[in-house]
């Protein structure tokens, strides 16, 4: 009997102006011990499946028909008490944001023991069982006495994995379990999950937007778009020979880890959400499909095939979808230019702890680094390796405690006023949270030209420049009058990028610019940066979690570990022949 | 700033019922305070010892009756509004300037300034506001000054916390990086974001100051014994409560409505003007100036 | 917890020292004639001149402050200018009375605040078509906040002491009952002596002022708790707890409330300090012989010796209460913004 089976599962969102389908009668099964990956670009529909398993659909959503059964028992009609009996015991969940998923004011030990207690462990065995559970995921006993915010995201997720598998569940529902983790941690957490899962024979439903990640650990893959499963089959087969144009375009939008760097496939922007799709009569992907025919828009294709099924009437055309060309090589530079950024023995410590027990930790130490004009450099490393602090130091948002920072040959670690001017003229930075980085009450066209406001340029000048910048970013000019809150996330990142590039800085510092974007949006932004590079001629210091993105965009890679640079070289060299353990761990966790 | 007000705030908060109700009551009190001499049917101090403790006669000579000395209750209520306005307005604005200025300076400059302001505010709030006001009155301060000096730490604390929540946001760092002078960044990126909290707090503190004025007048402190104030009327009415209850009820109801109007105004402003900063828990405990 | 509490109490010492400076400036630097304030009304010019010397008013301000601080710390508080009684005795009898009242009022405030906060949250959670009800409840707390403790006290005394006399006002004990010996904390002394009649009467005299203060200062606690609970429920850890199979009640009492109680507790601490100020007024209305009434009398009579000690006593209680609450909150949840 299947562990989890969906038959015609249909979920609708009740909105003003009628119901909008979120899941449109999807079918899948998860067999015992098997891993099914549900992959979707923005993850909206796939995440709803996960919520439905626990009867916790978001407000306004309701299952209208179909069934979802766990070991033969219908989940949606189950009384709440019975459902609670299953949760935490038979069915366990892994969240996307582990730190926030633990109670912030209780020690990890207290939370783990409370869960074990609920599972019926005797009081005097609690401690021993908790230690054993932690040991099972490779976490030290000392962690038991600590509060979650003292731990890394990785440790928090491992604790949650220990909790999830403490009840020997039949099914684990993991929603983006590694979204908050760096590559090395991702590898270790997935390894821990897989080891426990295999030992206990548990099945897993993995909900993710990362096709390659899903391919690396799933037995079977289901690709979703527009509330439908459009392709489902054995993972290897789906990845190697996709039979649906959507799967194929997702794969072509993901930068590879080896070989040449092809241009990434650009999928058109999704058609404004579920409401717009409600009116489409035919294939839900047809409006964005590169190989659609006229009748695709009118008739809905059935999900057909044997083990590997796809909902496309022209699967034969899928292999014809290819991205054209290759990433152009970096522009030629004369040798011996003054480095745009030079760090010499830079160090900085951070102070933590309550007032009566201050602790000082060296966050970065003895960093020496030179970036020549026009060079694209990526910094990768594990969580807490100091890469973000390095970026802030380079941008002048933090002052170094030791060492010197030179910008285009000018020492900026001496005099504050002139240093700030030098910084403003040479370096600009874009931040990871685009929402918070844009002034919420200012129009987009005012935001992108703020660099001109410093010099108090006339509004006509600013208006012209704003139009120019928006065009350069590939954004419609009409967006200029919007407020940041009215934009999508990918567009907000472009606005932040435009603001930073308005004054034509020589160096752009970007921290987490690509984090949290799905593959098509990421491909789009990568293409944009590569085009801008040739037009504006700036250098880039990119702090990045995704190694493939780092390799695609930057010719040079720095690996940081515990506040120091441990490897520095050409991207292909560093990733092809890693020497430091930290680099090897990062590569091991990247599912490419 | 103006663009900020026009584009972002105006439409939403004006539509809020609470704001409208609050504004209406506040404007009514202001208007009555200004035109009291014209509006009042009698001289509020004139005693008519032949007609003491008259009950309500809406069409009579004394619409809301008279007090123990035969003075017109309605006229006294109208002139009492002047006392309230003359305390609340300068106290709230002064506290905003003093406390808000110190709070923003502390949060923005950091370092020594922040420590100094922190200690000063901590020492200041060692005294409960009413106790401090009593001590200031004993030391010779006026009621408005006492109300202001006991309310400024509230502005200081709340605005500093708001500023800290805003200062960590990317757009502040971005403005600094673009080369705006620090003072200009404060003005362009931070002040508009903390403005809603400051305005809401202004209304709340004004309510507190009205209450404090009433309390001091009730206790007959910090002013002439025969001053025109709702608090004084409460004290007078308390003595004749069973003979002519209107003498207690009328100032009580007026005091409550004015404070409620201000509180609703503050509430409405906070609810509708917020920039929805997720990390900023707006000062829900801000009725601190709310006297006893 | 111990560490944060200890640290916070340690910080309270310099805060109190600075507070004495504030007091000194307010009472000794600002007033026109300090010497006259320190004497009974109708003192002669010569007496005032002599008092100037006694108070050290001829010296430099910093010197004056040091001398004055020495007097305050060593307990040389002198005689009341108004009554001619040692200040120590006046404050010594009034302070326990006020502490009893404030403690009881704090408990009332806490009970009202927490139950009201839970109610607010319950109304808000029902959501949907009943959203109007939550907004109404929210507005209700706003209106409640607009009723100052003075009005509550007048109302309660009017209804429950004069109109329908169920609770006594005036004094701390019914006339005819013997005052038990001991600390001056009447409730404790009565319990220690096993005298239930005295205990009941003393509690009866506390009820009206304590409830008036509690009603006057509870609404902000309600709102902070309601908002903190709503915020906690938006956090992923609540969701994760539900996904581990915890019931709604377990999540509320075991997960959300312990966290949301921290800012509410901090708000309660701040409200307690404000409530100490409210004591001055409510004591006057209810005729309760506490520190507040002593302070009001002293302000009215410009009685400097009583003023400075009573003011300082309020400051000490307020600072200690605040330090304890903050220390506990910080210990309970180090990262929660209180």
């Amino acid at each position: 009997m299947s562990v989890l089976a969906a038959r015609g599962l249909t979920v609708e969102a009740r909105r003003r102006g009628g119901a909008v389908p979120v899941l449109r009668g999807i079918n899948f099964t998860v067999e015992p011990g098997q891993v099914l990956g549900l992959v979707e670009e923005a993850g909206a529909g796939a995440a709803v499946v996960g919520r439905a398993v626990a009867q916790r659909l978001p407000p306004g959503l309701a299952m209208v028909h179909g069934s979802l059964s766990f070991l033969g028992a219908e989940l949606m009609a189950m009384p709440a008490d019975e459902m609670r009996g299953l949760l935490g015991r038979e069915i366990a969940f892994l969240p996307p944001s582990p730190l926030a998923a633990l109670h912030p004011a209780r020690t990890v030990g207290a939370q783990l023991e409370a869960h074990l207690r609920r599972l019926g462990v005797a009081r005097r065995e609690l401690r021993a069982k908790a230690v054993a559970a932690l040991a099972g995921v490779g976490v030290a006993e000392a962690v038991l006495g600590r509060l979650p915010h003292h731990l890394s995201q990785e440790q928090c997720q491992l604790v949650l994995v220990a909790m999830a598998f403490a009840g020997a569940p039949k099914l684990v529902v993991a929603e983006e379990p590694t979204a908050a983790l760096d590559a090395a941690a991702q590898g270790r957490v997935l390894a821990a999950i897989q080891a426990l899962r295999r030992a206990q024979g548990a099945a897993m439903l993995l909900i993710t937007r990362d096709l390659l990640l899903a391919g690396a650990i799933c037995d079977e893959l289901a690709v979703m778009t527009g509330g439908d499963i459009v392709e489902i089959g054995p993972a290897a087969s789906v990845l190697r020979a996709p039979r649906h144009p959507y799967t194929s375009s997702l794969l072509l939008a993901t930068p590879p880890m080896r070989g040449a760097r092809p241009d990434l496939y650009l999928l058109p922007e999704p058609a404004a959400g579920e409401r717009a799709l409600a009116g489409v009569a035919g294939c839900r992907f047809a409006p964005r499909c590169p190989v659609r025919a006229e009748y695709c828009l009118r008739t809905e294709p059935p999900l057909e095939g044997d083990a590997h099924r796809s909902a496309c009437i022209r699967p034969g055309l899928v292999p014809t979808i290819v991205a054209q060309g290759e990433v152009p090589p970096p522009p030629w530079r004369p040798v011996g230019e003054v480095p745009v950024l030079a760090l010499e023995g830079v160090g900085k410590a951070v102070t933590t702890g309550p007032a009566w027990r201050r602790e000082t930790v060296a966050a970065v130490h003895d960093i020496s680094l030179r970036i020549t004009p026009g060079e694209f450099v990526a910094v990768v490393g594990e969580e807490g390796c100091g890469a973000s602090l390095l970026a802030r130091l380079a941008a002048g948002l933090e002052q170094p405690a030791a060492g010197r920072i030179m910008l285009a040959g000018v020492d900026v670690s001496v005099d504050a006023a002139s240093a700030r001017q030098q910084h403003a003229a040479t370096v600009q930075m874009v931040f990871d949270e685009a929402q918070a980085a844009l002034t919420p009450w200012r129009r987009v066209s005012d935001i992108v030209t703020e660099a001109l406001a410093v010099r108090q340029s006339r509004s006509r000048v600013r208006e012209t420049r704003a139009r120019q910048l928006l065009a350069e970013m590939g954004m419609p000019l009409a967006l200029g009058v919007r407020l940041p809150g009215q934009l999508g996330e990918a567009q907000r990142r472009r606005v932040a990028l435009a603001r930073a590039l308005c004054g034509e800085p020589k160096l752009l510092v970007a921290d987490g610019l690509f984090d949290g974007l799905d593959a098509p949006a990421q491909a789009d932004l990568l293409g944009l940066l590569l085009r801008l590079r040739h037009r504006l001629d700036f250098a880039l210091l990119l702090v990045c979690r995704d190694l493939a993105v780092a390799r695609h965009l930057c010719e040079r890679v720095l690996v940081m570990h515990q506040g120091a640079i441990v490897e520095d070289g050409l991207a292909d060299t560093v990733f092809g022949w890693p020497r430091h353990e930290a680099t090897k761990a990062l590569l091991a966790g990247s599912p490419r | 700033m103006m663009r900020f007000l026009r584009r972002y705030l105006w439409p939403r908060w004006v539509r809020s019922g609470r704001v409208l109700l609050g504004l209406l009551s506040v404007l009514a009190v202001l208007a009555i305070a200004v035109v009291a001499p014209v509006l009042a049917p009698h001289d509020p101090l004139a005693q008519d010892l032949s007609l003491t403790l008259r009950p309500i006669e809406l069409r009579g000579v004394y619409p809301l009756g008279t007090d123990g000395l035969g003075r017109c209750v309605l006229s006294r209520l109208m002139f009492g509004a002047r006392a309230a306005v003359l305390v609340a307005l300068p106290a709230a604005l002064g506290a905003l300037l003093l406390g808000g200025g110190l709070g923003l300076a502390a949060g923005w400059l950091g370092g020594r300034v922040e420590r100094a302001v922190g200690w000063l505010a901590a020492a200041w709030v060692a005294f409960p506001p009413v106790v401090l006001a009593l001590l200031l009155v004993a030391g010779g301060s006026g009621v408005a000054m006492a109300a202001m000096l006991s309310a400024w730490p509230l502005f200081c604390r709340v605005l500093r916390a708001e500023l800290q929540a805003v200062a960590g946001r990317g757009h502040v760092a971005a403005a600094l990086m673009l080369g705006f002078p620090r003072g200009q960044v404060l003005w362009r990126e931070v002040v508009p974001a903390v403005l809603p909290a400051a305005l809401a707090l202004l209304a709340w503190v004004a309510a507190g100051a009205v209450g404090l004025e009433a309390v001091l007048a009730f206790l007959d402190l910090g002013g002439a014994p025969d001053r025109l104030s709702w608090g004084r009327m409460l004290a007078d009415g308390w003595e004749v409560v069973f003979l002519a209850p209107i003498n207690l009820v009328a100032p009580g109801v007026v005091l409550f409505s004015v404070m409620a109007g201000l509180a609703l105004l503050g509430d409405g402003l906070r609810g509708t003007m917020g920039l929805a900063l997720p990390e900023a828990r707006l000062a829900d405990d801000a009725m601190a100036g709310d006297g006893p | 917890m111990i560490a944060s509490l200890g640290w916070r109490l340690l910080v309270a010492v310099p805060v109190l020292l600075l507070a004495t400076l504030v007091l000194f400036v307010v009472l000794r630097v600002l007033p026109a004639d300090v010497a006259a304030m320190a004497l009974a009304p109708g003192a002669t010019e010569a007496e005032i001149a002599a008092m100037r010397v006694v108070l050290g008013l001829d010296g430099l301000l910093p010197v004056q402050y040091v001398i004055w601080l020495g007097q305050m710390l060593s307990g040389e508080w002198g005689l009341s200018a108004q009554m001619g009684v040692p200040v120590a005795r006046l404050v010594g009898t009034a302070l326990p009375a006020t502490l009893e009242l404030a403690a009881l009022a704090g408990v009332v405030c806490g009970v009202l605040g927490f139950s009201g906060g839970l109610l607010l949250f319950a109304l808000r959670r029902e959501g949907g078509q009943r959203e109007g009800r939550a907004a109404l409840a929210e507005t209700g707390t706003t209106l409640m906040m607009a009723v100052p403790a003075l009005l509550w006290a007048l109302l309660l005394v009017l209804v429950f002491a004069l109109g329908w006399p169920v609770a006594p006002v005036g004094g701390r004990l019914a006339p005819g009952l013997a005052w038990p010996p001991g600390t001056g904390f009447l409730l404790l002394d009565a319990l220690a002596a096993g005298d239930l009649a005295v205990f009941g009467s003393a509690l009866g005299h506390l009820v009206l002022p304590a409830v008036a203060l509690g009603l006057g200062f509870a609404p902000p606690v309600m709102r902070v708790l309601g908002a903190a609970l709503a915020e906690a429920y938006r956090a992923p850890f609540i969701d994760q707890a539900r996904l581990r199979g915890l019931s709604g009640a377990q999540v509320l009492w075991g997960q959300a409330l312990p966290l949301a109680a921290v800012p509410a507790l901090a708000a309660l601490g701040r409200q307690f300090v404000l409530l100490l100020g409210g004591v001055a007024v409510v004591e006057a209305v209810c005729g309760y012989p506490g520190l507040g009434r002593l302070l009001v009398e002293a302000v009215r009579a410009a009685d400097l010796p009583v003023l400075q000690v009573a003011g300082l006593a309020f400051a000490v209680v307020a600072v200690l209460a605040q330090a304890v609450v903050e220390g506990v909150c910080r210990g309970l949840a180090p990262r929660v913004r209180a």
Side-chain angles (χ1 to χ4, degrees):
Chain A
M1 189 185 296
S2 307
V3 176
L4 187 70
R7 295 267 167 272
L9 181 62
T10 306
V11 172
E12 282 183 357
R14 303 266 151 83
R15 299 282 154 80
R16 255 178 304 177
V20 180
V22 177
L23 294 178
R24 304 170 76 246
I26 63 168
N27 300 294
F28 63 83
T29 57
V30 185
E31 303 304 327
Q34 194 201 32
V35 185
L36 172 69
L38 278 184
V39 182
E40 191 179 18
E41 193 177 331
V48 170
V49 177
R51 315 282 305 175
V53 172
Q55 277 186 1
R56 290 183 57 75
L57 287 174
L61 262 57
M63 191 183 98
V64 278
H65 44 82
S67 89
L68 187 65
S69 60
F70 172 73
L71 293 174
E74 178 55 42
L75 285 172
M76 299 309 283
M78 192 176 274
D81 282 353
E82 208 176 313
M83 177 54 119
R84 278 211 311 279
L86 288 181
L87 294 177
R89 293 189 174 89
E90 306 281 292
I91 307 177
F93 286 81
L94 289 174
S97 50
L99 176 56
L102 288 167
H103 194 288
R106 300 244 169 91
T107 60
V108 164
Q111 301 186 50
L112 186 52
E113 284 174 17
H115 182 58
L116 292 174
R117 187 96 193 96
R118 224 189 125 254
L119 295 175
V121 173
R123 205 169 272 280
R124 57 200 153 68
E125 291 174 19
L126 276 179
R127 174 81 190 179
K129 291 265 178 177
V131 172
L134 279 194
V137 292
V139 173
E141 185 183 346
V143 162
L144 279 178
R146 316 199 66 172
L147 290 168
H149 65 259
H150 291 137
L151 307 180
S152 65
Q153 293 272 13
E154 178 190 3
Q155 282 171 314
C156 288
Q157 189 65 292
L158 286 173
V159 169
L160 285 162
V161 169
M163 272 164 115
F165 284 96
K170 300 279 187 303
L171 173 69
V172 177
V173 179
E175 187 188 341
E176 297 279 11
T178 59
L181 307 180
D182 60 77
Q186 168 168 296
R188 289 190 289 262
V189 166
L190 289 179
I193 293 175
Q194 287 291 63
L196 283 169
R197 198 184 61 72
R198 291 212 178 92
Q200 297 181 358
M204 181 154 86
L205 183 67
L206 176 73
I207 296 156
T208 180
R209 57 175 72 174
D210 189 336
L211 197 50
L212 293 186
L213 170 79
I217 59 170
C218 295
D219 304 305
E220 197 154 331
L221 279 184
V223 181
M224 294 181 68
T225 185
D228 277 325
I229 291 180
V230 293
E231 179 161 8
I232 185 166
S237 167
V238 170
L239 285 186
R240 206 176 318 115
R243 291 189 197 165
H244 194 277
Y246 178 62
T247 316
S248 175
S249 23
L250 275 187
L251 279 170
L252 288 170
T254 314
M257 203 52 205
R258 282 177 212 301
R261 294 169 196 173
D263 259 349
L264 298 179
Y265 182 78
L266 289 185
L267 204 57
E269 295 256 325
E274 28 188 61
R275 194 186 293 261
L277 280 179
V280 175
C283 170
R284 320 272 290 169
F285 182 61
R288 304 167 72 192
C289 182
V291 293
R292 67 161 178 260
E294 190 52 38
Y295 48 79
C296 289
L297 288 162
R298 275 180 273 119
T299 19
E300 201 166 342
L303 195 59
E304 278 174 337
D306 36 21
H308 181 169
R309 289 169 292 158
S310 91
C312 184
I313 49 170
R314 328 170 83 186
L317 288 180
V318 172
T320 66
I321 305 172
V322 281
Q324 303 296 327
E326 275 196 26
V327 171
W332 180 86
R333 312 281 327 182
V335 183
E337 274 181 295
V338 178
V340 63
L341 173 76
L343 276 65
E344 292 171 11
V346 166
K348 181 155 182 92
V350 289
T351 315
T352 55
W356 58 92
R357 209 173 48 219
R358 287 256 177 252
E359 282 170 32
T360 307
V361 190
V364 295
H365 55 88
D366 200 22
I367 300 265
S368 294
L369 165 68
R370 296 157 84 86
I371 297 180
T372 52
E375 191 180 21
F376 273 29
V377 181
V379 186
V380 297
E382 297 184 22
E383 182 188 352
C385 66
S388 289
L389 182 59
L390 174 65
R392 292 179 69 83
L393 280 165
L397 291 171
E398 304 270 352
Q399 301 307 317
R404 286 206 304 168
I405 296 182
M406 317 269 287
L407 284 180
V410 179
D411 190 341
V412 290
S413 37
V414 275
D415 175 30
S418 70
R420 280 198 49 199
Q421 270 176 356
Q422 180 69 14
H423 262 296
T426 317
V427 193
Q428 288 299 321
M429 180 165 176
V430 281
F431 302 89
D432 47 356
E433 272 179 85
Q435 167 83 68
L438 304 178
T439 317
W441 56 84
R442 217 161 267 156
R443 292 186 312 160
V444 164
S445 63
D446 289 337
I447 291 175
V448 293
T449 55
E450 268 194 88
L452 297 178
V454 181
R455 288 174 242 139
Q456 279 151 9
S457 299
R458 297 227 307 281
S459 63
R460 278 250 305 287
V461 180
R462 287 184 66 178
E463 206 58 40
T464 317
R465 180 76 175 124
R467 250 180 260 138
Q468 207 180 343
L469 279 166
L470 287 178
E472 222 150 50
M473 294 298 138
M475 293 172 75
L477 295 183
L479 289 185
V481 295
R482 298 254 188 104
L483 294 172
Q486 302 165 319
L487 301 179
E489 181 60 29
Q491 284 174 329
R492 280 200 286 260
R493 290 188 196 205
R494 281 167 186 242
V495 173
L497 197 59
R499 175 181 57 190
L501 292 176
C502 174
E504 306 199 340
K506 297 198 184 74
L507 172 66
L508 183 70
V509 179
D511 184 1
L513 184 60
F514 296 95
D515 290 355
L517 289 183
D518 46 48
Q522 185 176 293
D524 207 15
L525 199 54
L526 281 170
L528 176 68
L529 270 171
L530 286 168
R531 282 198 305 281
L532 289 172
R533 170 183 205 177
H534 281 266
R535 202 165 326 147
L536 299 175
D537 190 28
F538 54 88
L540 175 74
L541 180 68
L542 173 77
V543 176
C544 182
R545 213 187 269 156
D546 189 327
L547 302 191
V549 166
R551 174 180 177 274
H552 187 79
L553 190 59
C554 303
E555 55 270 13
R556 182 172 155 206
V557 168
L558 305 175
V559 182
M560 285 191 73
H561 183 60
Q562 296 181 347
I565 297 177
V566 295
E567 242 180 295
D568 178 355
L570 290 175
D572 285 323
T573 320
V574 171
F575 292 150
W577 294 274
R579 282 183 306 198
H580 197 275
E581 287 310 312
T583 320
K584 288 178 187 158
L586 286 171
L587 284 166
S590 297
R592 313 290 167 179
Chain B
M1 280 304 285
M2 278 323 291
R3 175 181 289 164
F4 163 72
L5 281 177
R6 210 170 55 232
R7 179 168 299 131
Y8 197 71
L9 301 176
W10 195 254
R12 266 199 324 175
W13 63 264
V14 162
R15 268 181 276 139
S16 148
R18 281 180 293 182
V19 174
L20 279 181
L21 201 65
L23 269 182
L24 218 62
S25 74
V26 171
L27 290 179
V29 171
L30 274 176
I32 287 172
V34 171
V35 299
V38 184
L39 219 58
H42 297 273
D43 177 355
L45 296 172
Q47 303 183 358
D48 185 348
L49 292 173
S50 62
L51 284 173
T52 58
L53 301 177
R54 301 292 302 160
I56 302 183
E57 293 168 300
L58 287 182
R59 287 159 194 281
V61 185
Y62 296 106
L64 288 182
T66 58
D67 69 0
L69 294 172
R71 295 174 294 191
C72 173
V73 170
L74 181 62
S75 306
R76 289 177 71 76
L77 281 178
M78 287 178 169
F79 275 87
R82 295 191 144 188
V85 170
L86 284 179
V87 169
L89 214 57
L93 288 176
L96 170 66
L97 288 181
L98 183 64
L102 284 176
L104 290 186
W108 194 238
L109 298 176
R112 267 187 218 149
V113 179
E114 180 158 39
R115 279 196 292 275
V117 172
W119 283 109
L120 180 65
W124 211 265
V125 295
F127 299 96
V130 176
V131 171
L132 189 63
L134 287 173
L135 292 172
L136 284 164
V137 165
S141 305
V143 176
M145 178 63 88
M148 182 198 101
L149 286 179
S150 51
W152 74 263
L154 182 67
F155 277 101
C156 187
R157 175 166 63 83
V158 172
L159 290 190
R160 190 170 128 201
E162 291 278 308
L163 179 139
Q164 275 165 349
V166 175
R169 292 165 59 96
H171 62 85
V172 178
L176 283 172
M177 293 209 49
L178 287 170
F180 285 105
R182 279 187 72 84
Q184 224 175 321
V185 175
L186 181 68
W187 178 246
R188 287 173 58 95
E189 307 289 330
V190 179
V191 169
V194 302
L195 197 66
L199 286 181
L201 212 53
L202 195 68
W204 280 320
V205 166
V210 170
L212 185 66
E213 193 275 333
V215 160
L216 289 177
F218 181 86
L219 297 172
D220 199 5
L221 299 172
D226 62 342
R227 68 178 130 167
L228 289 158
S229 157
W230 297 329
R232 204 62 249 155
M233 293 178 74
L234 280 176
D236 291 341
W238 184 237
E239 282 162 18
V240 295
V241 61
F242 289 108
L243 301 171
I246 185 67
N247 271 298
L248 183 71
V249 172
V253 167
V254 168
L255 183 61
F256 165 73
S257 341
V258 172
M259 288 182 66
L262 282 164
L264 283 176
L265 180 60
D267 241 24
L269 289 179
R270 194 208 53 170
T272 52
M273 280 179 72
L275 295 177
L277 304 181
E279 63 271 66
R281 178 181 300 148
L282 286 160
D284 234 318
D285 51 328
M287 285 295 279
D290 178 21
Chain C
M1 168 81 98
I2 305 281
S4 68
L5 194 57
W7 173 256
R8 201 53 196 76
L9 287 172
L10 206 66
V11 172
V13 175
V15 166
L16 269 176
L17 271 180
L18 278 172
T20 62
L21 192 60
V22 172
L23 192 65
F24 179 78
V25 169
V26 167
L27 288 180
R28 295 286 296 268
V29 180
L30 296 181
D33 195 348
V34 175
M37 277 174 82
L39 285 168
T44 64
E45 284 296 320
E47 281 172 325
I48 292 178
M51 187 45 99
R52 266 178 206 291
V53 179
V54 171
L55 291 176
L57 287 178
D58 40 359
L60 287 168
L61 274 182
V63 179
Q64 284 187 43
Y65 171 67
V66 172
I67 293 171
W68 174 81
L69 187 62
Q71 288 171 348
M72 287 296 108
L73 292 181
S74 59
E76 293 169 28
W77 296 338
L79 300 181
S80 156
Q82 174 79 356
M83 292 168 266
V85 189
V87 174
R89 197 194 305 160
L90 285 174
V91 173
T93 51
L95 185 60
T98 286
L99 285 180
E100 255 176 14
L101 172 58
L104 195 62
V107 170
V108 173
C109 187
V111 169
L112 283 176
F114 273 76
S115 44
L118 282 169
L119 186 69
L120 267 185
F121 175 66
L123 287 174
R124 192 178 300 176
R125 278 214 82 197
E126 283 183 13
Q129 65 273 33
R130 289 190 178 165
E131 215 164 279
R133 220 194 262 187
L136 211 63
E138 192 102 347
T139 308
T141 60
T142 309
L143 295 183
M144 233 178 123
M145 272 200 253
V147 182
L150 169 65
L151 285 186
W152 281 123
L154 289 177
L155 194 69
L156 288 177
V157 170
L158 192 63
V159 173
F160 295 107
L162 304 177
W164 176 42
V166 285
V169 286
R172 299 176 71 185
L173 210 53
L177 283 173
W179 197 275
T183 55
F185 290 93
L186 200 46
L187 292 179
L188 298 182
D189 290 345
L191 278 186
D195 193 339
L196 286 183
V198 169
F199 184 80
S201 173
L203 197 60
H205 280 82
L206 280 171
V207 164
L208 286 186
V211 170
L213 286 168
L215 282 169
F217 290 95
V221 181
M222 298 179 189
R223 296 178 55 144
V224 171
L225 184 65
L229 276 173
E231 196 179 304
Y233 268 80
R234 282 194 292 273
F237 77 92
I238 292 289
D239 210 34
Q240 192 64 20
R242 296 302 289 265
L243 293 177
R244 274 201 302 274
L246 269 61
S247 69
Q250 283 168 328
V251 168
L252 175 62
W253 297 102
Q255 305 275 327
L257 195 59
L259 195 67
V262 174
L265 200 60
L268 183 60
R270 279 194 294 272
Q271 288 305 103
F272 183 77
V273 172
L274 301 183
L275 179 150
L276 283 173
V279 160
V281 192
V282 171
E283 284 183 354
V285 174
C286 299
Y288 187 83
L291 198 58
R293 228 170 66 158
L294 190 66
L295 185 72
V296 170
E297 298 291 327
V299 174
R300 200 169 281 152
D303 188 346
L304 182 66
V306 175
L307 268 178
Q308 54 194 19
V309 178
L312 202 56
F314 268 114
V316 170
V317 176
V319 167
L320 285 182
Q322 190 73 318
V324 169
V325 170
E326 274 180 19
V328 168
C329 285
R330 193 59 60 79
L332 283 177
R335 295 265 283 220
V336 174
R337 196 178 134 204

